[in-house]
Amino acid sequence: MTMQRAERWGAMPRTPLLDDESPFKTMMSTFDEAALTMGLSDNEYRVLRKADKEISVAVPVRLAGGNLEVFDGFRIQHNAGLGPFIGPLRIEPDLKLDELRALAGWMTWKCALLGVPFGGACGGLRLDPYTLSSSELECAVRRYAATMIADIGPERDVFTPDIYADERVMSWLMDTISSHQRSTAASAVTGKPRDLGGSAGSRDAVAKGLRAVIRLALAHFGMPRKGLKVNVQGAGVVGGTLAKLLHEDGFTITGLADVTGGLFNEDGLDIPAAIEWRNQHGTLGEWPGKADQVDRDEFVTLPCDLLVPCAVANAVHSGNAVRVEAKMIIEGAHGPVSPRADRILAQRGITIIPDILANGGGVVLSYFEWVQSRTGLGWVDQVVDKRLGRFMREAWDSVLAVSSEFDCSLRKASHIHAVRKVSEADHQRGIYA
Amino acid sequence: MSSGATLSDAQLRDEYNPFLSMAKGFDQAADILGLDEGLREVLRQPERELKVAMPILMDDGTVKVFTGYRVQHNFLRGPCKGGIRFSPDVNLDEVRALSAWMTWKCSVVNLPFGGAKGGVICDPRELSQGELERLTRRYTVAIMDILGPDRDVPAPDMNTGEQTMAWIMDTYSMHVRRTTTAIVTGKPLALGGSRGRREATGRGVMIAANQALQLTGDRPEDTRVIVQGAGNVGGVAALLMHREGYKVTSISDMYGAIHNETGLDMPAVMAWMRDNGRLTGFPDAAEVSHSDQLELDCDLLIPAATENQITSLNADRIKAKLIVEGANGPTTAIASSMLHDRGVVIVPDILANAGGVTVSYFEWVQDRMGYFWTEEIVNSRLEQIMIDAFNEVVKTAEEHQVSLRTAAYILSIDRVASVYRLRGIFA
């Protein structure tokens, strides 16, 4: 195991024991709540509650030492009402089927909310990538794809990257599917390297989507941008990029944190310098610039106007939610506010822009890459940015409309809007027999 | 001879057979083009006709067998395109004629499609929603071997709509085991439909009228318009033209017509119709009969209801100087030449109402790439295609000193013929 790999692995979202719930239950309870509020019919409720298809395969791999190892592979395809399935491939030693189910459902709602023509899916390979050589991992990924070849592909089910499913893994998937269908299937996966049909703007997509949503939210709530203080948790691809973008926009970034700890300066941090330091030293830890070093667990309670947690799940939990000082929380990470904390914050009148909307830039970019791979025509940066902005704005507008229609939180409104779109599509397609 | 419409002589002699105008237009154009007999023979008959029997389990437990057709007239210029109609009056002759009509319509606006038409003999009013769904799915499967995004792409027609198209898309996708939105057009927005499709035909009619005014140098503000029909085509066209500055003085629906010489407030008229289910009774207008409406004094007449509205019986009394055909075949062949002789300009149906199939084409393009255009982009591209087609038809008319209708046929037949020569005869 190399140092670099260990660090990446260490940065994985770790769920604090407090507030821990089965992710499937959390997803389903959000869905149930939305279904109840919007008055979804019993028939449609029953259809949407189950995954369309759950594929489970054995993935035998001959290891370098001669031993044969048989890994478990899964693909959960939740709902195809709006189009082909799309979703990540998780590669983890302690993969839970329940979590895959939750993520597949989550992807369905997310695609519907962001207005991209897909249903949700999630795949998994239960293995520890650090114990395998690159070629052993390649064998596993290729065998996994080949075993379910009839159910995946550009108009069936599209793979998106995940923490361990990087450009390399996506390229293997693309190559395996292309070889089997005997034609280049660039649109079977997203998150490809640029040379294989990857899109411009992929790296910054989530951060740019977050920035777009922040701008829309400030305009809507009448908060002037100037002098607004922002704390960003996470200094990597999402948090770091967002901090840089907001800094350029004239916001005062008072706090920035990564896994090793946080920096805080109520007059504003020199963000470009801090990020540059982190790029060189691998951590924000001993940045010599003007800032107080703060404990990473206390970070979310520091004073600010906007808090953007972009790092770990349940960063705001029932233990610290009462001490959060932000006026608004924009969820950059996946589930950074626990359901219990969500209720506490709601009582305190703190607005939350939910993850499913706020960090939707990633899935929009995946969609853009799929389109570009289908047409064979790549878009330049400006075109990607402009279109991403439009998708985020349209999603925001519809969430606002639903939120005032049902007089509910933005989180609930996001789910209602998504469930409504999926059930309408299901209803129009009817039941095939 | 007719253009693929194998109608009997008795039918051809009948002025009220709407395919007569098409057949006549085809013949005149073919003569002018000097089309050789072999090519005429090719274009005269559909390339493929499929008749299917479809057993359907009815709600009461009995089994009924329905008959359906799909006729592909010509696919030299690309995959076939054409609607599917559900009606008790469907018959093979009519489906054949309509399929040929689609070939010319797609060609005149230069879409990369050939023509097709489908029909199922049934009375949709007597079928439950479940029976309709089963019939639609069975029909889809029955004709599936000749369908496909690159083979034949159906669309809505009489008594079929977004819901029917959604069922076809679902059935096809399930059978081929991948999402195939480009298999039909006219789908709901959420399933790969196009923005701007619902008003496309009406918008195309307005664009055609705008272009026609440029020929005479008239301005919309000085143009009094009579619109027959207040639905998808007439209603939309009247509304858009009102917004554009035209003076819409009369509009009709199936119950009657209303008239106001100083111009109707179209948004108020449409709101009245939405609330009351009919036009008549609208406060700021006089009521006139259907037949009188067409003969009112006006500058522009838009028949956008049904066929055979302007015939040898009333052509002499039509006061409009310009007619834009929103419906299919609203002017009979005899009436057309009577009007042409009097100097009345007719923008023919295959050009004037091609906005619908043009946005169908856009829907197919968007489905193929999976990316969807904003309404502004759809509308501006529609305008571009309509303007280009209009200008080419006018140029052809000047070149051959013929009516716009004959010119439209010359243009579209010539396009099909030149592709035929390029592709040659397969095998």
Side-chain angles (χ1 to χ4, degrees), chain A residues 328-342:
Chain A
M328 191 191 293
I329 296 177
I330 299 97
E331 296 185 337
H334 195 72
V337 176
S338 78
R340 287 194 209 179
D342 192 67

Side-chain angles (χ1 to χ4, degrees), chain A residues 231-233 254-266 269 284-285 291-303:
Chain A
N231 288 349
V232 179
Q233 186 187 39
T254 48
L256 184 68
D258 67 6
V259 272
T260 58
L263 303 173
F264 183 75
N265 179 346
E266 61 177 351
L269 297 164
L284 281 176
D292 298 330
Q293 303 278 343
V294 290
D295 183 70
R296 67 177 260 204
D297 293 329
E298 287 307 303
F299 186 80
V300 298
T301 63
L302 294 170

Side-chain angles (χ1 to χ4, degrees), chain B residues 142-249:
Chain B
I143 65 169
M144 210 175 92
D145 286 343
I146 62 168
L147 293 187
D150 296 311
R151 292 194 183 109
D152 184 354
V153 184
D157 198 84
M158 194 185 289
N159 295 326
T160 56
E162 287 193 348
Q163 179 60 78
T164 330
M165 299 304 114
W167 289 329
I168 294 175
M169 173 267 179
D170 185 67
T171 307
Y172 189 87
S173 296
M174 295 298 276
H175 268 260
V176 299
R177 285 166 177 74
R178 59 178 174 269
T179 305
T180 313
T181 48
I183 181 62
V184 276
T185 62
K187 297 180 297 296
L189 218 48
L191 298 180
S194 176
R195 295 186 177 89
R197 191 188 182 279
R198 270 176 225 192
E199 59 173 38
T201 309
R203 182 173 289 277
V205 167
M206 176 194 71
I207 298 166
N210 288 346
Q211 293 310 107
L213 284 202
Q214 286 189 7
L215 289 181
T216 54
D218 289 320
R219 301 185 314 154
E221 293 76 16
D222 307 326
T223 307
R224 295 162 303 159
V225 187
I226 293 176
V227 181
Q228 184 190 43
N232 238 350
V233 184
V236 171
L239 209 54
L240 292 175
M241 289 175 81
H242 175 83
R243 209 181 290 162
E244 192 89 349
Y246 287 87
K247 211 196 278 182
V248 180
T249 54

Side-chain angles (χ1 to χ4, degrees), chain A residues 4 48 53 158 189 224 262 395:
Chain A
Q4 210 187 355
L48 291 177
K53 201 181 244 186
V158 179
V189 304

Side-chain angles (χ1 to χ4, degrees), chain A residues 313-337:
Chain A
N314 294 345
V316 183
H317 47 74
S318 54
N320 59 18
V322 281
R323 287 179 289 127
V324 166
E325 292 193 28
K327 297 189 184 77
M328 191 191 293
I329 296 177
I330 299 97
E331 296 185 337
H334 195 72
V337 176

